[in-house]
Amino acid sequence: CYTFEPKSNIPIKVIVLDDTQRDDDLNNPDSLGYGHASLDNERYDWLVKELDKGQAEGKLMIIAAHIPISVEQADSMMGWNPAAPISEAQLISKLHEYPNLILWIAGHRHLNIVTALKSPDAARPELGFWEVETASLRDFPQQLRPFEIVRNSDNTVSIFATDVDPAVKDGSLAAISRSYAAATRQIFNMTPDPMPTGSYNAELVKQLTPEMQEKLSVVGGGV
């Protein structure tokens, strides 16, 4: 777990969170496996401290974690560990307290999916945030995803999430890797069918608080 700020003159903070299940988590491996998301009290307290600090310093915040939240059933091997010290509902409720949290990015499920975690208060849309999952480079069509964050004239920010297809040379290791990815999809009869909340490319809009509107007016249009 660590944090970094991509640009010193831009108020954006990235919080890299290890939300993978620990070996000593209580669990039933015969029925649920060990691929869950999980947070112990130590990691949760660290996350809250970093979110508090980022909010107090007036920084837009992005959480980068391996496993997504709020997208799997409780009994799913890909979801939250039901025996974790911190429940998924507890975590999400806490995250909705930070209007400067704009994005949770994750992998784990090998899917390209966008999910809106809407504000629990309709009168305060700024308490909602977006979650973007990106598939692995081992998965056909082996896409990567850059994020571009731009301030709009209506006191919102747009997050442009775009999947990119790399170009590879015939006979290269990259081309061989792509053939393996295509073969895996054919062998297991997999189809690139997004979930109902899914999107390959998206413009995700987030409402800014009055405090962040004022702060970003000094920075300029592009974040």
Side-chain angles (χ1 to χ4, degrees):
C1 298
Y2 60 94
T3 69
F4 67 93
E5 298 177 21
K7 293 185 177 181
S8 60
N9 63 330
I10 302 293
I12 289 184
K13 173 179 180 176
V14 181
I15 301 172
V16 183
L17 175 68
D18 177 8
D19 67 342
T20 56
Q21 188 172 9
R22 293 171 53 127
D23 291 341
D24 56 359
D25 271 7
L26 295 175
N27 192 25
N28 181 352
D30 294 331
S31 60
L32 292 177
Y34 266 93
H36 294 95
S38 178
L39 285 181
D40 50 43
N41 288 294
E42 181 181 4
R43 285 181 289 175
Y44 177 76
D45 291 344
W46 175 86
L47 173 63
V48 170
K49 181 185 72 173
E50 293 298 335
L51 288 167
D52 286 343
K53 182 179 178 183
Q55 187 68 42
E57 293 176 348
K59 293 175 180 173
L60 299 177
M61 294 180 287
I62 298 168
I63 297 176
H66 178 67
I67 304 178
I69 55 176
S70 191
V71 291
E72 289 282 341
Q73 298 295 324
D75 58 351
S76 168
M77 291 182 65
M78 301 289 281
W80 197 267
N81 178 17
I86 304 299
S87 71
E88 184 177 42
Q90 179 182 354
L91 171 64
I92 293 173
S93 177
K94 187 65 179 176
L95 294 177
H96 280 308
E97 295 180 10
Y98 299 95
N100 282 8
L101 176 61
I102 64 173
L103 184 65
W104 178 296
I105 58 177
H108 187 60
R109 299 197 305 162
H110 297 262
L111 297 170
N112 292 325
I113 302 292
V114 175
T115 304
L117 281 85
K118 297 180 180 180
S119 169
D121 184 352
R124 299 192 64 193
E126 71 274 12
L127 296 180
F129 61 95
W130 294 95
E131 178 172 64
V132 178
E133 301 171 64
T134 304
S136 168
L137 286 176
R138 81 173 194 184
D139 302 311
F140 184 83
Q142 297 186 301
Q143 295 170 321
L144 54 92
R145 192 199 297 273
F147 294 90
E148 183 181 7
I149 302 172
V150 177
R151 185 186 178 218
N152 301 315
S153 60
D154 62 351
N155 294 317
T156 63
V157 293
S158 287
I159 305 164
F160 292 95
T162 308
D163 279 322
V164 176
D165 294 313
V168 300
K169 293 182 179 180
D170 290 343
S172 67
L173 291 176
I176 295 172
S177 173
R178 178 160 294 180
S179 71
Y180 291 162
T184 299
R185 186 167 292 278
Q186 292 170 339
I187 290 170
F188 291 98
N189 195 27
M190 300 165 64
T191 57
D193 184 25
M195 294 181 178
T197 58
S199 177
Y200 291 108
N201 301 321
E203 178 184 358
L204 312 172
V205 180
K206 164 78 178 190
Q207 179 67 47
L208 292 172
T209 63
E211 294 80 9
M212 285 307 298
Q213 293 173 27
E214 182 177 357
K215 185 160 189 172
L216 290 178
S217 67
V218 179
V219 176
V223 178

